[in-house]
Amino acid sequence: MRVLIGGGSGFVGRELTRLLRDKGHEVTLISRQPGPGKITWGELESHGLPPCEGAVNLAGENIMNPLRWWNESYKKDLFSSRVDTTKTLAQAIAASPSPPHSWVLVSGVACYKPSMTAEYTEDSEWTPFDLLSKLVKEWEASALLPENVTKTTKQVLVRPGAVLGRDGGAMKQMLLPFWLGLGGTLGSGRQPFPWIHVSDLAGIIAHALEPAADTPSPSPLVFNGVAPALNNNHEFTKELGRLMKRPTIFPVPGFVMNTLLGSERAVILTQGQKVIPKRTQEAGFEYKYPDLTSALKEIVGG
């Protein structure tokens, strides 16, 4: 199978590329820079979709980029880097004489309203309530294909939680304070913390790229890209501290997070949702790291 990946040089993209190549698939990356095994976004717009059986979009400015101040221009980049690339890829698929059999967009769980009690499956109804949920709404809408194309191309939305792995994602910024003994719960610590190990997320995307067994549905198939374990921030913090043999006695108050990150962005860490991967499990996906201990052990050793 030939797979085209937008944003393939990022943290999740590198893992997905490795997994697909290990399975014997051919991968082409859509990138800002030309190079071997790559095409640029400009080439995609001018020459159309290269022959492929699957397409994935992972492109987007890092929402937790510690080097970017939370301001209007950054918010604009968060939207345009996701919505514009998704639209470009969806339009190229729609215009292709032989569109791929699968089209996967990786968005996020920010569409689900933070709650200590509500549990969200892939069938949960939701409406935008803040900046990040509006982003998911626009982003997912820009991936929709015209009805005639959905007869042959399966559309899939994967909504991951915090992606954990050794060389990027949420862990990259967390490990240093923990090594220094400065790790602690964020805000109250009671907020749900939906997470997934990066190799399981890559596995879910690869699973979603498989051709549909029957005629694809006109509406997208949604998979929650989270581990089945329901943990809160306190449990995550304590387990990470235990495996790293470091104290976790310095809680970070919510107002500090709001000041450092901007309140609209801090909600990702100070509030959370209980997200259930119901359809992901029903589809027969087997997790390598279904619980926190196995996931964190792989990342930090121990």
Side-chain angles (χ1 to χ4, degrees):
M1 178 164 70
R2 283 164 300 186
V3 181
L4 188 63
I5 304 178
S9 57
F11 172 48
V12 177
R14 292 192 303 270
E15 188 71 25
L16 178 62
T17 301
R18 198 161 44 231
L19 175 66
L20 291 172
R21 286 184 174 147
D22 285 351
K23 287 175 176 278
H25 302 307
E26 198 183 306
V27 176
T28 301
L29 305 183
I30 316 169
S31 165
R32 284 189 291 248
Q33 307 300 327
K38 291 179 178 177
I39 64 165
T40 65
W41 289 98
E43 285 168 340
L44 181 68
E45 285 190 76
S46 54
H47 304 318
L49 196 77
C52 60
E53 284 78 46
V56 181
N57 195 25
L58 292 160
E61 167 74 46
N62 176 6
I63 210 158
M64 286 314 221
N65 185 344
L67 306 175
R68 298 272 323 246
W69 195 243
W70 187 253
N71 56 23
E72 289 314 308
S73 87
Y74 183 32
K75 289 181 212 177
K76 217 173 135 193
D77 286 352
L78 287 180
F79 273 75
S80 62
S81 62
R82 286 165 171 74
V83 175
D84 297 351
T85 55
T86 303
K87 209 172 267 177
T88 299
L89 203 37
Q91 284 168 350
I93 290 169
S96 168
S98 55
H101 56 61
S102 304
W103 157 225
V104 181
L105 174 67
V106 181
S107 58
V109 293
C111 56
Y112 305 124
K113 197 167 191 172
S115 165
M116 301 296 263
T117 51
E119 293 191 347
Y120 298 100
T121 71
E122 292 88 347
D123 297 316
S124 299
E125 295 284 314
W126 64 278
T127 44
F129 55 91
D130 68 354
L131 182 86
L132 296 177
S133 55
K134 284 191 188 100
L135 169 58
V136 176
K137 190 79 174 171
E138 240 181 90
W139 193 6
E140 292 186 350
S142 64
L144 295 176
L145 299 173
E147 208 171 316
N148 61 318
V149 186
T150 63
K151 291 185 171 66
T152 51
T153 301
K154 173 175 75 164
Q155 307 180 90
V156 183
L157 300 171
V158 177
R159 295 179 183 149
V163 185
L164 308 181
R166 234 173 250 232
D167 53 353
M171 297 301 294
K172 204 171 186 176
Q173 284 121 330
M174 269 182 226
L175 290 177
L176 183 63
F178 272 87
W179 278 123
L180 298 173
L182 300 173
T185 50
L186 305 177
S188 72
R190 295 194 307 275
Q191 68 274 28
F193 182 71
W195 61 271
I196 189 162
H197 189 287
V198 67
S199 63
D200 279 330
L201 178 56
I204 291 169
I205 299 166
H207 195 76
L209 281 167
E210 298 294 327
D214 38 30
T215 310
S217 133
S219 51
L221 195 59
V222 177
F223 290 108
N224 283 336
V226 295
L230 287 176
N231 298 105
N232 63 26
N233 176 264
H234 174 81
E235 290 163 343
F236 170 80
T237 305
K238 291 298 164 199
E239 188 57 16
L240 183 55
R242 186 182 75 80
L243 289 170
M244 292 177 74
K245 301 181 175 57
R246 290 291 185 276
T248 50
I249 49 178
F250 295 103
V252 185
F255 74 87
V256 174
M257 305 287 292
N258 291 346
T259 308
L260 288 174
L261 296 170
S263 57
E264 289 172 311
R265 174 163 60 164
V267 293
I268 298 173
L269 301 173
T270 57
Q271 299 178 27
Q273 318 83 335
K274 292 182 180 179
V275 183
I276 316 284
K278 184 170 175 277
R279 185 172 292 121
T280 309
Q281 289 182 294
E282 286 170 356
F285 179 72
E286 287 189 25
Y287 288 83
K288 274 172 129 174
Y289 305 103
D291 61 89
L292 212 40
T293 305
S294 62
L296 292 177
K297 266 187 176 168
E298 193 282 325
I299 295 164
V300 299

